[in-house]
Amino acid sequence: MVNAFPATRTVAQRLIIGFVGIGNMGSAMATRLLGAGYRLVVCDKNEEAVQRLQMAGAKAATSPAALAATPGLSAIVSMLPSLEHVRQAYLGGDGILSVPSGELHPHLLIDCSTIDPLTAREVAAAASDATLHPNAAEAHDGQRSPLLIDAPVSGGVPGATAGSLTFMCGGEPAAVDAARPLLETMGKRIIYCGGNGTGVTAKLCNNLVLSVSMAAVSEGLALGKHLGLDPHLLSEIFNTSSARCWSSDTYNPVPGVMEGVPSSRGYKGGFSSKLMVKDLSLALKAAEHSGAAAPMAEEAHKLYSQVDPNLDFSAIYKQLYKG
Ligand code: NAD
């Protein structure tokens, strides 16, 4: 496959990219693409979100199908809440893959949503059954069908805004290589994980560990506090001892221990408990399907379900452990 997305601004200016799902993450990622010179066509159910991107220079499509039928469109990036939305945007009545055979323009589909590996593989298989427009096929070495990769991210809204996301990619190596310049505009680390579904698998495993480590750090710090230990001092001890982890030394859940983290601004912003519960549900579904044991994920799912869904997941320290 030819490298279709050179990173230089002059070449980027000739390329038209579609973006489906311009919410918290997608709008920041789409803005990075616009800033790099790509011509952008966006699609979202939320009209206000579309208007904001139009003011920044993007064009709008009325549906994922209308977007996919846009002549000259090279690729579509999607950043949707969960698997139902991904199914609807790709496989639904006005979804990307509902475009009649031979009228589909993007040769590359990059789904950055956090979903489960089964759905990621199902959508990739449906993409491989679709037929590209003859002009798109000719522009890409006779490629017959669009290639789809799963490329979920870590780094949150700050990483999306700064263009420093980590992408965990699953799909054909050539498709991930073709996507690389686009991904490098939005992120710093592009990690190839294997075939379709392995990117989302990596993401779910990461968030499973994160959820458990945050609960454990919160439990330890709250126990210490109830026994009379200052959480600032105990955090310092954790961070130079064997309890040290990202949840204690980079994203501490105790208000005032660290600046610039959600715990120090009323648990606002950050990664919501709602999204953590969603990711744990997906991990549990994947564990059940594969026969893997996941008792910690089960417990974490129960715990985070008791936290305000709209607050950052580190609010587990205050709301559940009463720290
Ligand atoms: P969000 O709810 O802010 O944005 C999703 C957007 O998708 C919304 O604007 C919604 O209107 C749109 N949408 C839904 N269905 C659609 C459809 N069929 N067609 C067109 N548009 C549609 O969500 P977000 O916080 O941006 O998260 C997106 C994904 O990124 C999720 O899978 C999440 O798990 C993952 N993620 C989020 C974060 C974070 O910190 N927010 C961090 C890492 C990964």
Side-chain angles (χ1 to χ4, degrees), residues 5 38 40 55 60 65 79 109 111 118 124 133 173 189 262 279 281 304 313 316 319:
F5 305 104
Y38 289 104
L40 209 63
M55 305 244 292
M79 190 49 157
L109 305 170
D111 183 32
L118 281 181
H133 188 282
R189 300 197 64 215
D279 288 359
S281 305
Y304 287 98
F313 75 112
I316 193 170
Q319 296 201 333

Side-chain angles (χ1 to χ4, degrees), residues 21 23-25 44-45 79-81 85 88 114 156 271 275 278:
N24 292 325
M25 293 292 290
D44 198 296
K45 292 181 160 179
M79 190 49 157
L80 296 158
H85 310 88
Q88 193 185 20
T114 304
F271 185 67
L275 284 180
K278 179 205 79 168

